[in-house]
Amino acid sequence: MSTQRVRNLITKILKEDALSAKSTLKDYLATMESEGGTIGCMYDVDESVDALFLSSANMRKKFVECNPYVIQMDTTFSIEKGRYKLVAFCYRLDLSSNKTENAGFRLISNERDNNFNFVLSNFKLLNSREDYIFLVDKYFSSIDCIKTNFKEVVVLLCQFHLLKFMKNLIATALATVEIKGEMMTIFKS
C-alpha cells in the first residue's frame, strides 16, 4: 500500500484537511499518537504493513465518554490495489438517533489470527471494558480472536452478512433451483 493511499484513507476517515505533502505517513501517525490517538502497526517478514490500527484522540474521547456495550466490526474489501481490508469498529453514539460513530479503524493485509489479535489488542487499549457485545460478519476466524481478547464478551453474527454469504454459497452448489431454494429456506429457519 502506498504512503499516499494511506494518507488519503486517513484524510477521509478523520474528515481533516489533506495531509501536508512534505510530511511522511510515519510523521503523521506519530503526531496523531502524540495528540492522544492510538496507533498500532505490525509488519510482515517483508517489512510491509500487515496490520495498522488507527484511533484519533477525538474518536477515542467520544468512545470513552459513551462507553458503549455493543460494537460492530464492519469490513470493506478491496479498497485499493494492495487489496487491504478496512475494518471499522462502530458503535451508536446516541440511542435516540441513528448516528453511528467509529472507535477505530484497522487496515489488514489478510484475515489471519495474528492480524485480528493485533488490532483487537489495540482496540482494547481504548477502553478497559471486557463485557462487550460484538456484532461481526460471516468471518468465524475473528470470533475466536475476540473471545481471546475480551473474556466476558458475547459475539453475535450479523444476519444480513450471513444470509448474503449463504445465498452466494448455495447459488454455486451443484443442485437444482428447487433444491437450492429449499436449502435457503431451511437455513433461514
Side-chain angles (χ1 to χ4, degrees):
M1 177 177 279
S2 71
T3 299
Q4 190 57 48
R5 182 64 183 151
V6 174
R7 285 171 186 259
N8 293 343
L9 288 170
I10 292 171
T11 301
K12 287 179 184 176
I13 290 167
L14 300 180
K15 299 177 186 165
E16 294 176 354
D17 294 332
L19 300 171
S20 164
K22 293 180 182 177
S23 69
T24 65
L25 177 61
K26 185 176 180 179
D27 293 336
Y28 181 75
L29 294 177
T31 301
M32 183 189 249
E33 193 169 35
S34 72
E35 293 172 349
T38 300
I39 307 295
C41 190
M42 183 173 71
Y43 299 93
D44 63 15
V45 293
D46 298 326
E47 296 299 314
S48 295
V49 173
D50 210 18
L52 177 64
F53 179 85
L54 305 166
S55 182
S56 70
N58 188 38
M59 292 165 70
R60 183 178 184 157
K61 181 179 182 275
K62 283 182 182 178
F63 179 68
V64 169
E65 287 173 356
C66 185
N67 196 24
Y69 283 99
V70 181
I71 302 294
Q72 180 180 357
M73 286 177 38
D74 191 19
T75 306
T76 303
F77 292 91
S78 303
I79 57 172
E80 49 75 56
K81 67 181 179 182
R83 306 196 53 83
Y84 279 77
K85 294 142 187 71
L86 175 66
V87 183
F89 290 93
C90 308
Y91 65 97
R92 297 277 299 272
L93 180 61
D94 183 358
L95 295 178
S96 63
S97 72
N98 234 359
K99 187 167 182 175
T100 301
E101 288 288 335
N102 295 300
F105 294 94
R106 68 181 185 185
L107 291 165
I108 55 175
S109 63
N110 60 62
E111 295 178 272
R112 290 191 297 247
D113 285 358
N114 63 328
N115 282 342
F116 277 119
N117 283 321
F118 175 77
V119 293
L120 286 165
S121 66
N122 278 275
F123 174 75
K124 193 172 184 175
L125 295 173
L126 302 180
N127 197 344
S128 60
R129 169 171 251 139
E130 289 282 335
D131 60 345
Y132 287 111
I133 299 171
F134 268 88
L135 183 62
V136 299
D137 53 22
K138 66 187 179 303
Y139 295 97
F140 297 108
S141 58
S142 65
I143 294 173
D144 289 337
C145 296
I146 292 169
K147 288 181 178 181
T148 298
N149 284 279
F150 298 94
K151 303 301 180 207
E152 299 172 36
V153 72
V154 173
V155 181
L156 303 174
L157 291 172
C158 174
Q159 273 188 331
F160 169 79
H161 286 97
L162 194 57
L163 287 173
K164 182 180 174 190
F165 173 76
M166 288 307 295
K167 184 177 179 180
N168 290 337
L169 185 65
I170 290 171
T172 62
L174 298 175
T176 65
V177 174
E178 292 80 21
I179 292 174
K180 289 180 183 185
E182 190 176 323
M183 290 168 69
M184 194 64 191
T185 301
I186 292 169
F187 181 77
K188 284 180 180 179
S189 67

